[in-house]
Coordinates of all heavy atoms in Angstrom, one line a residue:
M1 N 81.7 -39.0 -66.3 CA 81.5 -37.6 -66.1 C 82.9 -36.9 -65.8 O 83.7 -37.4 -65.2 CB 80.7 -37.4 -64.8 CG 80.5 -36.0 -64.4 SD 79.4 -35.9 -63.0 CE 77.9 -35.2 -63.8
D2 N 83.1 -35.8 -66.4 CA 84.3 -35.0 -66.2 C 84.4 -34.6 -64.7 O 83.4 -34.4 -64.1 CB 84.3 -33.7 -67.0 CG 84.2 -34.0 -68.6 OD1 84.7 -35.0 -69.0 OD2 83.7 -33.1 -69.3
T3 N 85.7 -34.5 -64.3 CA 85.9 -34.1 -62.9 C 86.5 -32.7 -62.8 O 87.5 -32.4 -63.5 CB 86.9 -35.0 -62.2 OG1 86.4 -36.4 -62.4 CG2 87.1 -34.7 -60.8
V4 N 85.9 -31.8 -62.1 CA 86.3 -30.4 -61.9 C 86.6 -30.2 -60.4 O 85.8 -30.5 -59.5 CB 85.3 -29.4 -62.3 CG1 85.8 -28.0 -62.1 CG2 84.9 -29.6 -63.8
T5 N 87.9 -29.8 -60.0 CA 88.3 -29.6 -58.6 C 88.7 -28.2 -58.5 O 89.6 -27.7 -59.2 CB 89.4 -30.5 -58.3 OG1 89.1 -31.9 -58.6 CG2 89.8 -30.3 -56.8
S6 N 88.1 -27.4 -57.6 CA 88.4 -26.0 -57.3 C 89.8 -26.0 -56.6 O 89.9 -26.7 -55.6 CB 87.4 -25.3 -56.5 OG 87.7 -24.0 -56.3
L7 N 90.7 -25.2 -57.1 CA 92.1 -25.1 -56.5 C 92.2 -23.8 -55.6 O 92.8 -23.8 -54.6 CB 93.2 -25.1 -57.5 CG 93.2 -26.4 -58.4 CD1 94.2 -26.2 -59.5 CD2 93.4 -27.6 -57.6
D8 N 91.5 -22.7 -56.2 CA 91.6 -21.5 -55.4 C 90.5 -20.6 -56.0 O 90.1 -20.7 -57.2 CB 92.9 -20.8 -55.6 CG 93.2 -19.7 -54.5 OD1 92.3 -19.5 -53.7 OD2 94.2 -19.0 -54.7
K9 N 90.0 -19.6 -55.2 CA 89.0 -18.7 -55.7 C 89.3 -17.4 -54.9 O 89.4 -17.4 -53.6 CB 87.6 -19.2 -55.4 CG 86.5 -18.4 -56.0 CD 85.2 -19.1 -55.7 CE 84.0 -18.5 -56.5 NZ 82.8 -19.2 -56.3
F10 N 89.3 -16.3 -55.6 CA 89.6 -15.0 -54.9 C 89.1 -13.8 -55.8 O 88.8 -14.0 -56.9 CB 91.1 -14.9 -54.7 CG 92.0 -15.0 -55.9 CD1 92.4 -14.0 -56.7 CD2 92.4 -16.3 -56.3 CE1 93.2 -14.2 -57.8 CE2 93.2 -16.5 -57.4 CZ 93.6 -15.4 -58.1
R11 N 89.1 -12.7 -55.2 CA 88.7 -11.4 -55.8 C 89.9 -10.5 -56.1 O 90.8 -10.4 -55.2 CB 87.6 -10.7 -55.1 CG 86.3 -11.4 -55.1 CD 85.2 -10.4 -54.8 NE 83.9 -11.0 -55.0 CZ 83.3 -11.1 -56.1 NH1 83.7 -10.5 -57.2 NH2 82.1 -11.7 -56.3
V12 N 89.9 -9.9 -57.2 CA 90.9 -8.9 -57.5 C 90.5 -7.6 -56.8 O 89.4 -7.1 -57.0 CB 91.0 -8.7 -59.1 CG1 92.1 -7.6 -59.4 CG2 91.3 -10.0 -59.7
P13 N 91.5 -7.0 -56.1 CA 91.1 -5.8 -55.3 C 90.7 -4.6 -56.2 O 89.8 -3.9 -55.9 CB 92.4 -5.5 -54.5 CG 93.4 -6.5 -54.7 CD 92.8 -7.5 -55.8
I14 N 91.4 -4.5 -57.3 CA 91.0 -3.4 -58.2 C 90.3 -4.0 -59.4 O 90.8 -4.8 -60.1 CB 92.3 -2.7 -58.8 CG1 93.0 -2.1 -57.6 CG2 91.9 -1.6 -59.8 CD1 94.4 -1.5 -57.9
G15 N 89.0 -3.6 -59.5 CA 88.1 -4.2 -60.6 C 87.1 -5.2 -60.1 O 86.2 -5.5 -60.7
N16 N 87.4 -5.8 -58.9 CA 86.5 -6.7 -58.2 C 86.2 -7.9 -59.0 O 85.1 -8.6 -58.8 CB 85.3 -6.0 -57.8 CG 84.5 -6.7 -56.7 OD1 85.2 -7.3 -55.8 ND2 83.2 -6.7 -56.7
Q17 N 87.0 -8.3 -60.0 CA 86.8 -9.6 -60.7 C 87.0 -10.8 -59.8 O 87.8 -10.7 -58.9 CB 87.7 -9.8 -61.9 CG 87.5 -8.7 -63.0 CD 88.5 -7.5 -62.8 OE1 89.0 -7.3 -61.7 NE2 88.6 -6.7 -63.9
E18 N 86.2 -11.8 -60.0 CA 86.3 -13.0 -59.3 C 87.1 -14.0 -60.1 O 86.8 -14.3 -61.3 CB 85.0 -13.6 -58.9 CG 85.0 -14.9 -58.2 CD 83.6 -15.5 -57.9 OE1 83.0 -15.1 -56.9 OE2 83.1 -16.3 -58.7
I19 N 88.2 -14.6 -59.5 CA 89.0 -15.5 -60.3 C 88.9 -16.9 -59.6 O 89.1 -16.9 -58.4 CB 90.5 -15.1 -60.4 CG1 90.5 -13.8 -61.2 CG2 91.4 -16.1 -61.0 CD1 91.9 -13.2 -61.3
E20 N 88.6 -17.9 -60.4 CA 88.7 -19.3 -59.8 C 89.6 -20.1 -60.7 O 89.5 -20.1 -61.9 CB 87.2 -19.9 -59.8 CG 87.3 -21.3 -59.1 CD 85.9 -21.8 -58.9 OE1 84.9 -21.3 -59.4 OE2 85.8 -22.9 -58.2
L21 N 90.5 -20.8 -60.0 CA 91.4 -21.8 -60.7 C 90.9 -23.2 -60.4 O 90.6 -23.5 -59.2 CB 92.8 -21.6 -60.2 CG 93.4 -20.2 -60.4 CD1 94.7 -20.1 -59.7 CD2 93.4 -19.9 -61.8
Q22 N 90.7 -24.0 -61.4 CA 90.2 -25.4 -61.2 C 91.0 -26.3 -62.0 O 91.6 -26.0 -63.1 CB 88.7 -25.5 -61.8 CG 87.8 -24.5 -61.2 CD 86.4 -24.5 -62.0 OE1 86.4 -24.6 -63.2 NE2 85.3 -24.4 -61.3
Q23 N 91.1 -27.6 -61.5 CA 91.7 -28.6 -62.3 C 90.6 -29.3 -63.0 O 89.5 -29.6 -62.4 CB 92.4 -29.7 -61.4 CG 92.9 -30.9 -62.2 CD 93.8 -31.8 -61.4 OE1 95.0 -31.6 -61.3 NE2 93.2 -32.8 -60.8
F24 N 90.7 -29.5 -64.3 CA 89.7 -30.1 -65.1 C 90.2 -31.4 -65.8 O 91.2 -31.4 -66.5 CB 89.3 -29.1 -66.3 CG 88.0 -29.4 -66.9 CD1 86.8 -29.0 -66.4 CD2 88.0 -30.2 -68.1 CE1 85.6 -29.3 -67.1 CE2 86.8 -30.5 -68.8 CZ 85.6 -30.0 -68.2
I25 N 89.6 -32.5 -65.5 CA 90.0 -33.8 -66.0 C 88.8 -34.4 -66.8 O 87.7 -34.5 -66.3 CB 90.3 -34.8 -64.9 CG1 91.5 -34.2 -64.1 CG2 90.7 -36.1 -65.5 CD1 91.9 -35.0 -62.9
F26 N 89.0 -34.7 -68.0 CA 88.0 -35.2 -68.9 C 87.8 -36.7 -68.6 O 88.8 -37.4 -68.5 CB 88.4 -35.0 -70.4 CG 88.5 -33.6 -70.8 CD1 89.7 -32.9 -70.9 CD2 87.3 -32.9 -71.1 CE1 89.7 -31.6 -71.3 CE2 87.4 -31.6 -71.5 CZ 88.6 -30.9 -71.6
E27 N 86.6 -37.1 -68.6 CA 86.3 -38.5 -68.3 C 86.9 -39.4 -69.4 O 87.3 -40.5 -69.2 CB 84.7 -38.8 -68.3 CG 84.3 -40.2 -68.1 CD 82.8 -40.4 -68.1 OE1 82.1 -39.4 -68.5 OE2 82.4 -41.5 -67.8
A28 N 86.9 -38.9 -70.6 CA 87.4 -39.7 -71.8 C 88.9 -39.8 -71.7 O 89.5 -40.6 -72.5 CB 87.0 -39.0 -73.1
G29 N 89.6 -39.1 -70.8 CA 91.1 -39.2 -70.8 C 91.8 -38.0 -71.3 O 91.1 -37.0 -71.6
G30 N 93.0 -38.1 -71.5 CA 93.8 -36.9 -71.9 C 94.5 -36.2 -70.7 O 94.3 -36.6 -69.6
M31 N 95.2 -35.2 -71.0 CA 95.9 -34.5 -70.0 C 95.0 -33.6 -69.2 O 94.0 -33.1 -69.7 CB 97.1 -33.7 -70.5 CG 96.6 -32.3 -71.1 SD 98.0 -31.3 -71.6 CE 98.4 -32.0 -73.1
P32 N 95.2 -33.5 -67.8 CA 94.5 -32.6 -67.0 C 94.8 -31.1 -67.5 O 95.8 -30.9 -68.0 CB 95.0 -32.8 -65.6 CG 95.7 -34.1 -65.6 CD 96.2 -34.3 -67.0
L33 N 93.8 -30.3 -67.4 CA 93.9 -28.9 -67.8 C 93.7 -28.0 -66.6 O 93.0 -28.4 -65.6 CB 93.0 -28.5 -68.9 CG 93.1 -29.3 -70.2 CD1 92.0 -28.9 -71.1 CD2 94.4 -29.0 -70.8
L34 N 94.3 -26.8 -66.6 CA 94.0 -25.8 -65.6 C 93.0 -24.9 -66.2 O 93.2 -24.2 -67.2 CB 95.3 -25.1 -65.2 CG 95.0 -23.9 -64.2 CD1 94.7 -24.5 -62.8 CD2 96.3 -23.1 -64.1
R35 N 91.8 -24.8 -65.5 CA 90.7 -23.9 -66.0 C 90.8 -22.7 -65.2 O 90.8 -22.7 -63.9 CB 89.4 -24.6 -65.9 CG 88.2 -23.7 -66.2 CD 87.0 -24.4 -66.5 NE 87.1 -25.1 -67.7 CZ 86.1 -25.9 -68.2 NH1 85.1 -26.1 -67.5 NH2 86.3 -26.5 -69.4
T36 N 90.9 -21.6 -65.9 CA 91.0 -20.2 -65.2 C 89.6 -19.6 -65.6 O 89.4 -19.3 -66.7 CB 92.1 -19.4 -65.7 OG1 93.4 -20.1 -65.4 CG2 92.2 -18.1 -65.0
R37 N 88.8 -19.3 -64.6 CA 87.5 -18.7 -64.8 C 87.6 -17.2 -64.2 O 87.8 -17.1 -63.0 CB 86.4 -19.4 -64.1 CG 86.3 -20.8 -64.6 CD 85.2 -21.6 -63.9 NE 83.9 -21.1 -64.5 CZ 82.8 -20.8 -63.8 NH1 82.8 -20.9 -62.4 NH2 81.7 -20.5 -64.3
I38 N 87.3 -16.2 -65.0 CA 87.3 -14.9 -64.6 C 85.9 -14.3 -64.8 O 85.3 -14.4 -65.8 CB 88.3 -14.0 -65.4 CG1 89.7 -14.6 -65.3 CG2 88.2 -12.5 -64.9 CD1 90.7 -13.9 -66.2
R39 N 85.3 -13.9 -63.7 CA 83.9 -13.4 -63.7 C 84.0 -11.9 -63.4 O 84.5 -11.4 -62.5 CB 83.1 -14.0 -62.6 CG 81.7 -13.6 -62.6 CD 80.8 -14.3 -61.6 NE 79.4 -13.7 -61.7 CZ 78.5 -14.1 -60.9 NH1 78.7 -15.1 -60.0 NH2 77.3 -13.5 -61.0
E40 N 83.4 -11.1 -64.4 CA 83.2 -9.7 -64.3 C 81.7 -9.4 -64.3 O 81.1 -9.5 -65.5 CB 83.9 -9.0 -65.4 CG 85.4 -9.2 -65.4 CD 86.1 -8.6 -66.6 OE1 86.1 -9.2 -67.6 OE2 86.5 -7.4 -66.4
R41 N 81.1 -9.2 -63.2 CA 79.6 -9.1 -63.1 C 79.0 -10.4 -63.7 O 79.2 -11.4 -63.2 CB 79.1 -7.8 -63.7 CG 79.7 -6.6 -63.0 CD 79.1 -5.3 -63.5 NE 79.9 -4.2 -63.0 CZ 80.6 -3.4 -63.7 NH1 80.7 -3.6 -65.0 NH2 81.3 -2.4 -63.2
S42 N 78.3 -10.2 -64.8 CA 77.6 -11.4 -65.4 C 78.4 -12.0 -66.5 O 78.0 -13.0 -67.1 CB 76.2 -11.0 -65.9 OG 76.3 -10.0 -66.9
R43 N 79.6 -11.5 -66.9 CA 80.4 -12.0 -68.0 C 81.5 -12.9 -67.4 O 82.1 -12.6 -66.4 CB 80.9 -10.8 -68.7 CG 81.7 -11.2 -70.0 CD 82.1 -10.0 -70.7 NE 83.6 -10.0 -70.6 CZ 84.3 -9.0 -70.9 NH1 83.8 -7.9 -71.3 NH2 85.7 -9.1 -70.9
F44 N 81.7 -14.1 -68.1 CA 82.7 -15.0 -67.8 C 83.7 -15.1 -68.9 O 83.4 -15.1 -70.1 CB 82.2 -16.4 -67.6 CG 81.5 -16.6 -66.3 CD1 80.1 -16.3 -66.1 CD2 82.1 -17.0 -65.1 CE1 79.4 -16.5 -64.9 CE2 81.5 -17.2 -63.9 CZ 80.1 -16.9 -63.8
T45 N 85.0 -15.2 -68.6 CA 86.1 -15.5 -69.5 C 86.7 -16.8 -69.0 O 87.0 -16.9 -67.8 CB 87.1 -14.4 -69.6 OG1 86.5 -13.2 -70.0 CG2 88.2 -14.8 -70.6
I46 N 86.8 -17.8 -69.8 CA 87.4 -19.1 -69.4 C 88.5 -19.5 -70.2 O 88.4 -19.5 -71.5 CB 86.3 -20.2 -69.4 CG1 85.1 -19.8 -68.4 CG2 86.8 -21.5 -69.0 CD1 83.9 -20.7 -68.5
F47 N 89.6 -19.8 -69.6 CA 90.8 -20.4 -70.3 C 91.0 -21.8 -69.8 O 91.1 -22.0 -68.6 CB 92.1 -19.6 -69.9 CG 92.1 -18.1 -70.3 CD1 91.8 -17.2 -69.4 CD2 92.4 -17.7 -71.6 CE1 91.8 -15.8 -69.7 CE2 92.4 -16.4 -72.0 CZ 92.1 -15.5 -71.0
D48 N 91.3 -22.7 -70.7 CA 91.7 -24.1 -70.4 C 93.1 -24.2 -70.9 O 93.3 -24.1 -72.1 CB 90.8 -25.1 -71.0 CG 89.4 -25.2 -70.3 OD1 89.3 -24.8 -69.2 OD2 88.5 -25.7 -71.0
I49 N 94.1 -24.4 -70.0 CA 95.5 -24.4 -70.4 C 96.2 -25.7 -69.9 O 95.8 -26.3 -68.9 CB 96.3 -23.1 -69.9 CG1 96.2 -23.0 -68.4 CG2 95.7 -21.9 -70.6 CD1 97.1 -21.8 -67.9
D50 N 97.2 -26.1 -70.7 CA 97.9 -27.3 -70.4 C 99.0 -27.0 -69.4 O 99.3 -25.8 -69.1 CB 98.6 -27.8 -71.8 CG 99.5 -26.7 -72.3 OD1 99.0 -25.7 -73.0 OD2 100.7 -26.8 -72.1
P51 N 99.6 -28.0 -68.9 CA 100.6 -27.9 -67.8 C 101.8 -27.0 -68.2 O 102.3 -26.2 -67.4 CB 101.0 -29.3 -67.4 CG 99.8 -30.1 -67.8 CD 99.3 -29.5 -69.0
A52 N 102.3 -27.2 -69.4 CA 103.5 -26.4 -69.9 C 103.1 -24.9 -70.0 O 103.9 -24.0 -69.5 CB 104.0 -26.9 -71.2
T53 N 102.0 -24.6 -70.5 CA 101.5 -23.2 -70.5 C 101.3 -22.6 -69.2 O 101.7 -21.5 -68.9 CB 100.2 -23.1 -71.4 OG1 100.5 -23.6 -72.7 CG2 99.8 -21.6 -71.5
A54 N 100.7 -23.4 -68.2 CA 100.5 -23.0 -66.9 C 101.8 -22.7 -66.2 O 102.0 -21.6 -65.5 CB 99.7 -24.0 -66.1
A55 N 102.9 -23.5 -66.4 CA 104.1 -23.3 -65.8 C 104.8 -22.0 -66.3 O 105.4 -21.3 -65.6 CB 105.1 -24.5 -66.1
R56 N 104.7 -21.8 -67.6 CA 105.3 -20.6 -68.2 C 104.6 -19.3 -67.7 O 105.2 -18.4 -67.3 CB 105.3 -20.6 -69.7 CG 105.9 -19.5 -70.4 CD 106.0 -19.6 -71.9 NE 106.6 -18.4 -72.5 CZ 106.8 -18.4 -73.7 NH1 106.6 -19.4 -74.5 NH2 107.4 -17.2 -74.2
W57 N 103.3 -19.4 -67.7 CA 102.5 -18.2 -67.3 C 102.7 -17.9 -65.8 O 103.0 -16.8 -65.4 CB 101.0 -18.6 -67.5 CG 100.0 -17.5 -67.3 CD1 100.2 -16.2 -66.9 CD2 98.6 -17.5 -67.7 NE1 99.0 -15.5 -66.9 CE2 98.1 -16.3 -67.4 CE3 97.8 -18.5 -68.2 CZ2 96.7 -16.0 -67.6 CZ3 96.5 -18.3 -68.4 CH2 95.9 -17.0 -68.1
G58 N 102.7 -19.0 -65.0 CA 103.0 -18.8 -63.6 C 104.4 -18.3 -63.3 O 104.6 -17.4 -62.4
K59 N 105.4 -18.7 -64.0 CA 106.8 -18.2 -63.9 C 106.8 -16.7 -64.1 O 107.5 -16.0 -63.3 CB 107.7 -19.0 -64.8 CG 109.1 -18.6 -64.6 CD 110.0 -19.5 -65.6 CE 111.5 -19.0 -65.6 NZ 112.3 -19.8 -66.5
V60 N 106.2 -16.3 -65.2 CA 106.3 -14.9 -65.5 C 105.5 -14.1 -64.5 O 105.9 -13.0 -64.0 CB 105.7 -14.6 -67.0 CG1 105.5 -13.1 -67.2 CG2 106.6 -15.3 -68.0
L61 N 104.3 -14.6 -64.1 CA 103.6 -13.8 -63.0 C 104.4 -13.7 -61.8 O 104.4 -12.6 -61.2 CB 102.2 -14.6 -62.8 CG 101.2 -14.6 -63.8 CD1 100.0 -15.5 -63.4 CD2 100.6 -13.1 -63.9
C62 N 105.0 -14.7 -61.3 CA 105.8 -14.7 -60.1 C 107.0 -13.8 -60.2 O 107.3 -13.0 -59.3 CB 106.2 -16.1 -59.7 SG 104.9 -17.1 -59.0
A63 N 107.6 -13.8 -61.4 CA 108.8 -13.0 -61.6 C 108.4 -11.5 -61.6 O 109.0 -10.7 -60.9 CB 109.5 -13.3 -62.9
W64 N 107.3 -11.2 -62.2 CA 106.8 -9.8 -62.2 C 106.5 -9.4 -60.8 O 106.8 -8.3 -60.4 CB 105.7 -9.7 -63.2 CG 105.1 -8.3 -63.2 CD1 105.6 -7.2 -63.9 CD2 104.0 -7.7 -62.4 NE1 104.8 -6.1 -63.6 CE2 103.9 -6.4 -62.7 CE3 103.1 -8.3 -61.5 CZ2 102.9 -5.6 -62.1 CZ3 102.2 -7.5 -60.9 CH2 102.1 -6.2 -61.2
A65 N 105.6 -10.2 -60.1 CA 105.2 -9.8 -58.8 C 106.4 -9.6 -57.8 O 106.4 -8.7 -57.0 CB 104.3 -10.8 -58.2
A66 N 107.4 -10.4 -57.9 CA 108.6 -10.2 -57.1 C 109.3 -8.9 -57.3 O 110.0 -8.4 -56.4 CB 109.6 -11.4 -57.3
T67 N 109.1 -8.3 -58.4 CA 109.8 -7.0 -58.7 C 108.9 -5.8 -58.3 O 109.4 -4.7 -58.4 CB 110.2 -6.8 -60.2 OG1 109.0 -6.7 -61.0 CG2 111.1 -7.9 -60.6
Q68 N 107.7 -6.0 -57.8 CA 106.8 -4.9 -57.5 C 106.8 -4.7 -56.0 O 107.2 -5.5 -55.2 CB 105.4 -5.3 -57.9 CG 105.3 -5.6 -59.4 CD 105.8 -4.5 -60.3 OE1 105.5 -3.3 -60.1 NE2 106.8 -4.9 -61.2
P69 N 106.5 -3.4 -55.6 CA 106.4 -3.1 -54.1 C 105.5 -4.1 -53.5 O 104.4 -4.4 -53.9 CB 105.9 -1.7 -54.1 CG 106.2 -1.1 -55.4 CD 106.2 -2.3 -56.4
G70 N 105.9 -4.7 -52.4 CA 105.1 -5.7 -51.7 C 105.2 -7.1 -52.3 O 104.5 -8.1 -51.8
G71 N 105.9 -7.2 -53.4 CA 106.0 -8.5 -54.1 C 106.6 -9.7 -53.3 O 106.3 -10.8 -53.6
A72 N 107.5 -9.3 -52.4 CA 108.1 -10.3 -51.6 C 107.1 -11.1 -50.7 O 107.4 -12.2 -50.3 CB 109.2 -9.7 -50.7
D73 N 106.0 -10.5 -50.5 CA 104.9 -11.1 -49.6 C 103.9 -11.9 -50.5 O 102.9 -12.4 -49.9 CB 104.2 -10.1 -48.9 CG 105.1 -9.3 -47.9 OD1 106.1 -9.9 -47.4 OD2 104.8 -8.1 -47.6
V74 N 104.1 -12.1 -51.8 CA 103.1 -12.7 -52.6 C 102.8 -14.1 -52.2 O 101.7 -14.5 -52.1 CB 103.7 -12.7 -54.1 CG1 102.8 -13.6 -55.0 CG2 103.7 -11.3 -54.6
D75 N 103.8 -14.9 -51.8 CA 103.6 -16.3 -51.4 C 102.7 -16.4 -50.1 O 102.1 -17.4 -49.9 CB 104.9 -17.0 -51.1 CG 105.7 -17.3 -52.4 OD1 105.1 -17.4 -53.4 OD2 106.9 -17.5 -52.3
K76 N 102.6 -15.4 -49.3 CA 101.9 -15.4 -48.1 C 100.5 -15.0 -48.3 O 99.7 -15.2 -47.4 CB 102.6 -14.5 -47.1 CG 104.0 -15.0 -46.7 CD 104.6 -14.0 -45.7 CE 106.0 -14.6 -45.5 NZ 106.9 -13.7 -44.8
E77 N 100.1 -14.5 -49.5 CA 98.7 -14.1 -49.7 C 97.8 -15.4 -49.6 O 98.1 -16.4 -50.1 CB 98.6 -13.5 -51.1 CG 99.2 -12.2 -51.3 CD 98.5 -11.1 -50.5 OE1 97.3 -11.1 -50.4 OE2 99.2 -10.2 -49.9
G78 N 96.6 -15.2 -49.0 CA 95.6 -16.3 -49.0 C 95.9 -17.3 -47.9 O 95.2 -18.3 -47.8
E79 N 97.0 -17.2 -47.2 CA 97.3 -18.2 -46.1 C 96.5 -17.9 -44.9 O 96.1 -16.9 -44.6 CB 98.8 -18.3 -45.8 CG 99.6 -18.8 -46.9 CD 101.0 -18.9 -46.6 OE1 101.5 -18.5 -45.5 OE2 101.8 -19.4 -47.5

C-alpha cells in the first residue's frame, strides 16, 4: 500500500483555498514525491513533484516572500 504522510495543511487568507502538503511514497518503490493538494470548494488541483522541483519552487517562493512587506516573518508562520 502506498504511504501518504501529511506535512502541513493551511488556508490561504485571500481566496480561502485549503492547501495540504503530503509526502507520497509508492509501495512499488521509486523516489518519494511531494504532493500538493489545493482545494477550492469542491474542486481539487493536485501536483506530485520530485525533490529537485520542490527545492527550486521553494527557493523562489522564499525569495519572493522575503522581499514583500512582512516577509521577514514568513518562517514564524504556523508555529
Side-chain angles (χ1 to χ4, degrees):
M1 175 178 253
D2 298 334
T3 304
V4 180
T5 305
S6 183
L7 303 174
D8 198 5
K9 190 175 187 178
F10 53 94
R11 287 204 173 270
V12 177
I14 299 172
N16 201 35
Q17 295 92 344
E18 179 182 274
I19 297 177
E20 183 172 12
L21 302 173
Q22 302 171 325
Q23 177 172 269
F24 194 88
I25 301 175
F26 296 98
E27 179 182 9
M31 81 173 80
L33 297 175
L34 177 67
R35 176 164 286 177
T36 303
R37 300 179 77 224
I38 303 170
R39 181 178 179 181
E40 298 176 272
R41 297 186 193 111
S42 62
R43 188 176 110 193
F44 284 89
T45 302
I46 299 173
F47 298 99
D48 289 334
I49 58 175
D50 60 280
T53 301
R56 183 174 178 175
W57 192 350
K59 183 179 176 182
V60 172
L61 288 170
C62 288
W64 178 83
T67 66
Q68 303 308 306
D73 297 331
V74 171
D75 288 337
K76 296 177 182 171
E77 290 292 324
E79 289 183 0

